[in-house]
């Protein structure tokens, strides 16, 4: 995507209320070295272990660091630690680099890292199966620890370097010893930014200050690998739910960066010499919906297939993106264009099949149990999918209850396992970067260990068995064969319903440069280069 501009005639003045809100958000130190950012939604959940929400993940990359990083060629690189491996590929020794300090100025230790890995592994879709391969984790000294495996697996390094949705962020042991089921309240990290607690307004405003004690690596930055050099004093995240207001704030130099620009507002930025529009995630994003396997009606696999059959990807993508040059249909649960991108089910998933859906409802004896669909109103890239899904399900014969809320409330709601009559949910839609969705561990939707899985809680032991086999597979061909089996099982069991792929545009003022192309949002390397 190229630089675009907006004609002056398209500039729309703020309403008084919106302007007052924005000014209230900008209270704080002078703006010269303050990068003003509009993120996809407001930040309310601070613990990157208890949620896979991207806004919390992005918060994690600000204040925490990771043992390993991944570069743009998918190479795993040292970040906080380097490693060696024994000849039998069973013992990995990790050594922390010099100069690592927590934000309270105490040194990062091997015990801190062990506690962080263990907490992550309690709940993560890679961490849980990884622990089956681990015989022991032992501190050797303050800067060194060893992980001994029962049998060789590529999951260890891949897990420690994972980009999303739940990276293995390092925390002090006093924090990481908190059970993974209990959100943390201590935001001490060792990353390139510090969380400014006194300026935090949940859901509205988050402020990060440069961590002057952070020692970046010497290598050039590439995705989450290399040097994390911070060139600005502060980064302020502002929540502006009205997307038109956000775009006009960018045009009027009242914010510097919008993480996700709604597709229908891109013409407002067309031709503006002060603004660059770019899809920083070069691989793109896929969108999907998931169902609650614990509660009616989607505890019935026939009804899950009926819902999948009812929805047309083309309708979804037309509503969400509009411009066919920016989207493509795809039935692969691990993404088209990836090595594992099998499209079993394409014949009925892409255009939808209402007759098939109605037949499945009849076969299942559907009793009219309501389908509660959660719709976020403040996250543009997934705001329209629930509306299109609701319409398709009603046409197929489902009873639908569409509930609107902001994205962070939706994220909190997803942890609710109660029946719909007691505040539970049936279906939600989301989106994920393709760079992290192309294998059965990086893609959290394919964890199917029931209550130990992510939201929706599918229980499909056959998929879990194949995920383990994938971890043991030693050739790409063997992995692709297992991935094809997982695709078939995931579609037949209604684990996740693919809705197509697209590129998400980011926009920023040209007074800043250095925004890194990456599948996650990163603010190191950014510098103010103009007035």
């Amino acid at each position: 995507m190229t630089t675009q501009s907006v004609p002056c005639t398209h500039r729309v003045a703020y309403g008084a209320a919106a302007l007052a809100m924005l000014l209230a958000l900008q209270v704080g130190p002078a703006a010269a070295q303050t990068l003003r950012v509009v993120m996809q939604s407001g930040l309310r959940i601070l613990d990157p272990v208890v949620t896979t929400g991207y806004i919390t993940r992005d918060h994690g990359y600000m204040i925490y660091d990771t043992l390993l990083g991944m570069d743009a060629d998918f190479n795993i690189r040292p970040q906080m630690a380097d490693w060696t491996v024994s000849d039998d590929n069973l013992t990995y020794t990790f050594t922390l680099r010099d100069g690592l300090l927590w934000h309270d100025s105490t040194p990062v230790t091997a015990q801190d890292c062990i506690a962080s890995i263990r907490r992550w592994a309690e709940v993560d879709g890679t961490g849980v199966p990884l622990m089956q391969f681990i015989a022991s984790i032992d501190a050797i000294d303050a800067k060194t620890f060893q992980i001994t495996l029962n049998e060789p697996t590529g999951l260890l390094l891949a897990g420690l370097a994972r980009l999303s949705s739940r990276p293995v962020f390092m925390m002090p042991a006093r924090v990481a010893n908190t059970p993974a089921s209990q959100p943390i309240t201590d935001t001490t990290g060792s990353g390139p930014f510090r969380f400014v607690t006194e300026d935090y307004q949940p859901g509205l405003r988050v402020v990060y200050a440069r961590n002057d004690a952070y020692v970046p690596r010497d290598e050039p930055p590439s995705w989450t690998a290399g040097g994390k050099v911070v060139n600005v004093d502060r980064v302020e995240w502002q929540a502006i739910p009205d997307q038109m207001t956000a775009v006009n704030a960018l045009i009027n130099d009242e914010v510097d960066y919008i993480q996700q620009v709604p597709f229908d507002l891109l013409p407002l930025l067309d031709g503006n010499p002060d603004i660059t529009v770019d899809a920083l995630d070069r691989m793109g994003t896929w969108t999907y919906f998931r169902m609650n396997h614990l509660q009616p009606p989607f505890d019935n696999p026939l009804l899950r297939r009926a819902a999948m059959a009812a929805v047309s990807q083309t309708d979804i993508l037309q509503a969400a993106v509009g411009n066919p040059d920016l989207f493509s249909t795809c039935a692969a649960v691990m993404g088209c264009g990836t090595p594992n991108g099998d499209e079993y089910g394409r014949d009925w998933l892409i255009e939808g099949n209402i007759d098939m859906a109605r037949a499945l409802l009849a076969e299942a004896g559907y009793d009219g149990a309501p389908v509660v669909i959660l719709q976020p109103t403040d996250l543009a890239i997934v705001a329209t999918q629930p509306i299109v899904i609701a319409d398709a399900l009603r046409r197929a014969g489902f009873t639908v209850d569409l509930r609107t809320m902001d994205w962070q409330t939706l994220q909190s709601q997803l942890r609710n396992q109660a029946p719909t009559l007691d505040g539970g949910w049936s279906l939600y839609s989301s989106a994920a970067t393709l760079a992290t969705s192309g294998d059965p561990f990086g893609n959290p939707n394919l964890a199917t260990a029931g209550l130990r899985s992510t939201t929706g809680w599918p229980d499909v032991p056959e998929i879990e068995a194949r995920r383990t086999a994938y971890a043991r597979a030693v050739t790409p061909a063997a992995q692709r064969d297992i991935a094809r089996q997982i695709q078939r099982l995931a579609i037949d069991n209604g684990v996740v319903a693919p809705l197509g792929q697209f590129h998400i545009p980011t926009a920023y003022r040209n007074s800043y440069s250095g925004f890194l192309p990456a599948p996650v949002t990163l603010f190191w390397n950014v510098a103010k280069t103009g007035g």
Side-chain angles (χ1 to χ4, degrees):
M1 195 168 294
T2 58
T3 301
Q4 301 179 354
S5 65
V6 57
C8 292
T9 52
H10 287 166
R11 300 186 180 190
V12 182
Y14 286 142
L19 181 58
M21 179 189 72
L22 190 60
L23 292 174
L25 290 169
Q26 291 179 332
V27 173
Q33 291 298 317
T34 298
L35 180 67
R36 304 160 299 178
V37 168
V38 178
M39 296 296 281
Q40 57 169 283
S41 68
L43 177 70
R44 290 196 179 90
I45 302 173
L46 299 179
D47 188 341
V49 169
V50 302
T51 178
T52 57
Y54 280 8
I55 188 69
T56 301
R57 175 206 64 190
D58 295 340
H59 158 75
Y61 276 116
M62 298 295 284
I63 66 171
Y64 299 112
D65 209 347
T66 55
L67 288 176
L68 311 180
M70 182 174 291
D71 69 19
D73 295 318
F74 290 92
N75 296 310
I76 296 171
R77 301 292 190 189
Q79 185 50 241
M80 295 175 73
D82 207 339
W83 75 92
T84 60
V85 58
S86 61
D87 291 341
D88 59 5
N89 293 315
L90 291 178
T91 302
Y92 288 73
T93 302
F94 295 88
T95 302
L96 297 172
R97 62 187 170 93
D98 294 333
L100 297 178
L101 296 174
W102 298 115
H103 295 157
D104 60 9
S105 300
T106 59
V108 177
T109 69
Q111 292 290 2
D112 295 321
C113 299
I114 291 172
S116 298
I117 293 169
R118 289 193 179 282
R119 184 169 189 262
W120 164 80
E122 286 182 41
V123 293
D124 184 72
T126 299
V128 170
L130 171 61
M131 293 307 288
Q132 301 173 23
F133 290 86
I134 292 180
S136 62
I137 309 178
D138 302 295
I140 305 303
D141 57 38
K143 293 178 57 180
T144 311
F145 65 98
Q146 276 186 346
I147 297 180
T148 304
L149 304 177
N150 295 314
E151 57 181 301
T153 177
L155 277 190
L156 176 58
L157 296 183
L160 295 180
R162 70 176 303 171
L163 298 162
S164 187
S165 296
R166 189 184 277 122
V168 195
F169 293 120
M170 295 298 108
M171 303 173 180
R174 69 172 190 278
V175 179
N177 284 330
T178 306
S181 58
Q182 178 181 330
I184 60 172
T185 56
D186 185 332
T187 56
T188 303
S190 66
F193 293 92
R194 291 183 295 103
F195 183 78
V196 182
T197 304
E198 58 270 27
D199 288 340
Y200 176 48
Q201 299 174 38
L204 293 176
R205 180 172 183 254
V206 194
V207 176
Y208 303 94
R210 178 172 56 202
N211 174 16
D212 291 326
Y214 184 79
V215 180
R217 298 188 67 87
D218 293 331
E219 302 91 342
S222 178
W223 286 11
T224 58
K228 301 179 179 179
V229 178
V230 175
N231 300 306
V232 296
D233 297 319
R234 293 160 61 95
V235 178
E236 294 186 5
W237 290 9
Q238 306 170 6
I240 303 181
D242 181 79
Q243 302 297 323
M244 178 67 81
T245 300
V247 169
N248 280 293
L250 182 70
I251 293 169
N252 293 327
D253 195 15
E254 291 162 330
V255 301
D256 303 302
Y257 175 99
I258 299 178
Q259 186 186 30
Q260 298 178 357
V261 181
F263 295 100
D264 61 333
L265 298 183
L266 284 175
L268 295 178
L269 303 177
D270 184 26
N272 190 322
D274 298 323
I275 293 171
T276 293
V277 178
D278 192 2
L280 293 174
D281 181 357
R282 306 298 194 221
M283 291 189 68
T285 295
W286 73 301
T287 183
Y288 55 85
F289 72 83
R290 300 199 72 189
M291 293 167 275
N292 185 341
H293 291 226
L294 297 182
Q295 303 293 345
F298 294 136
D299 57 342
N300 185 327
L302 291 175
L303 295 177
R304 294 197 295 270
R305 284 172 58 86
M308 295 167 70
V311 179
S312 159
Q313 283 198 9
T314 302
D315 291 347
I316 290 285
L317 294 168
Q318 286 285 0
V321 182
N323 184 345
D325 292 336
L326 299 177
F327 69 73
S328 59
T329 58
C330 174
V333 300
M334 284 177 261
C336 291
T338 72
N340 295 328
D342 183 76
E343 289 202 85
Y344 167 80
R346 183 177 177 87
D347 54 324
W348 58 278
L349 288 171
I350 298 301
E351 295 303 331
N353 187 329
I354 285 290
D355 291 339
M356 175 180 172
R358 288 169 178 162
L360 286 166
L361 259 72
E363 181 182 354
Y366 176 59
D367 62 0
V371 176
V372 173
I373 300 178
L374 307 183
Q375 187 213 0
T377 56
D378 61 336
L379 185 55
I381 64 165
V382 292
T384 59
Q385 288 90 321
I387 298 171
V388 178
I389 294 168
D391 177 66
L393 265 56
R394 288 184 178 118
R395 286 189 287 113
F398 282 101
T399 301
V400 176
D401 178 2
L402 185 64
R403 296 180 182 173
T404 60
M405 59 194 68
D406 63 70
W407 179 246
Q408 286 283 282
T409 300
L410 187 153
Q411 288 288 311
S412 299
Q413 179 71 6
L414 291 181
R415 295 199 293 271
N416 187 347
Q417 298 178 345
T420 55
L421 293 177
D422 295 328
W425 59 277
S426 307
L427 186 154
Y428 77 102
S429 181
S430 189
T433 177
L434 286 168
T436 61
S437 301
D439 71 78
F441 290 97
N443 187 335
N445 297 294
L446 299 176
T448 57
L451 296 178
R452 291 188 292 113
S453 303
T454 55
T455 49
W457 310 284
D459 188 0
V460 187
E462 296 88 349
I463 292 181
E464 288 300 288
R466 283 161 177 80
R467 278 167 25 103
T468 301
Y470 188 96
R472 293 189 171 111
V474 295
T475 67
Q479 290 183 332
R480 284 195 296 273
D481 182 61
I482 296 167
R484 281 194 292 271
Q485 298 172 41
I486 292 174
Q487 165 79 15
R488 180 178 292 268
L489 287 164
I491 295 300
D492 287 347
N493 286 278
V495 172
V496 58
L499 296 174
Q501 302 181 175
F502 54 84
H503 290 277
I504 299 174
T506 292
Y508 55 88
R509 294 193 63 79
N510 294 333
S511 52
Y512 282 90
S513 63
F515 295 97
L516 291 171
V520 294
T521 299
L522 308 170
F523 290 108
W524 53 82
N525 200 57
V526 177
K528 190 172 179 64
T529 53

